[in-house]
Amino acid sequence: MQLIRPHLRFRESYLAYIREMGEEERYPFVMDLPCEDFPALLHRLDDISRGINLPAGSVPSSTFWLVEQEQLLGVSNLRHCLNEQIREVGGHIGLGIRPSRRGQGLGRALLALTLEQARKLGIDQVHIHCYQDNQASGGLIRAMGAVRDSQILAAGKVVERFILTPQPQGDTG
């Protein structure tokens, strides 16, 4: 398993991942970008990482894919910084695991590898948010050592806000 930047060779696996998700809400937000023109999607993701043509309210963010051989297993998106809106609801990291591969510990691997990328960017306190009713995400975030900072009501749902300090790989604390 490895964390990579989006790449054309994973086109078929990406499209299968999207089909597998069906009508469920997609995380992270980049999974909602149009993907019919796959090279255009890759170009758009690169632009977002460089802060080019960002949607209103967005900040530069890098997308990573957790892959094994030729299969895309999960997707994470790491915001390079926070604006007031994203600090309120959103945080630094969004992630999702392919439906057929959930419950296998891949979320923990994806989050750990994405936290390493945050550390490389110099982010010393990672804000991670999830809906209170998403017990799987909340459990994962807590298991990674995050501390609950606060909770707020947003769009009729309780959002739990956590803070995590990324540790270098191999550092036990």
Side-chain angles (χ1 to χ4, degrees):
M1 234 178 334
Q2 60 181 328
L3 192 70
I4 65 165
R5 298 281 185 158
H7 193 277
L8 185 59
R9 84 174 213 239
F10 290 93
R11 178 184 181 276
E12 292 308 316
S13 186
Y14 183 91
L15 296 175
Y17 186 147
I18 293 291
R19 285 191 301 273
E20 198 174 305
M21 293 179 75
E23 297 300 315
E24 75 177 59
E25 191 167 356
R26 296 178 184 164
Y27 294 102
F29 81 94
V30 293
M31 298 297 287
D32 284 329
L33 295 174
C35 60
E36 295 78 22
D37 181 346
F38 202 72
L41 170 65
L42 297 178
H43 183 74
R44 181 77 182 109
L45 294 174
D46 185 58
D47 278 356
I48 291 170
S49 75
R50 294 186 293 132
I52 298 171
N53 297 321
L54 296 175
S58 295
V59 297
S61 62
S62 296
T63 298
F64 299 99
W65 290 352
L66 183 67
V67 299
E68 184 175 62
Q69 297 174 358
E70 297 301 313
Q71 187 178 37
L72 175 58
L73 306 174
V75 176
S76 67
N77 184 264
L78 172 62
R79 292 181 178 101
H80 301 175
C81 60
L82 301 178
N83 59 26
E84 286 305 311
Q85 176 184 341
I86 296 168
R87 184 178 303 280
E88 186 76 10
V89 177
H92 282 103
I93 296 176
L95 58 87
I97 298 296
R98 185 183 199 114
S100 62
R101 298 299 301 267
R102 293 178 185 157
Q104 300 174 18
L106 297 175
R108 185 178 184 103
L110 178 57
L111 183 53
L113 291 166
T114 305
L115 287 168
E116 179 64 20
Q117 296 300 317
R119 190 183 67 73
K120 288 177 183 178
L121 283 176
I123 301 171
D124 59 356
Q125 285 195 332
V126 177
H127 294 247
I128 305 175
H129 303 167
C130 72
Y131 291 116
Q132 186 177 45
D133 63 0
N134 187 340
Q135 294 177 3
S137 288
L140 168 62
I141 294 165
R142 285 180 187 91
M144 295 299 292
V147 175
R148 187 169 156 257
D149 179 59
S150 61
Q151 68 181 33
I152 63 166
L153 188 63
K157 293 181 85 172
V158 175
V159 175
E160 291 192 301
R161 303 185 304 184
F162 298 87
I163 296 178
L164 198 148
T165 302
Q167 300 294 320
Q169 285 186 334
D171 188 349
T172 57

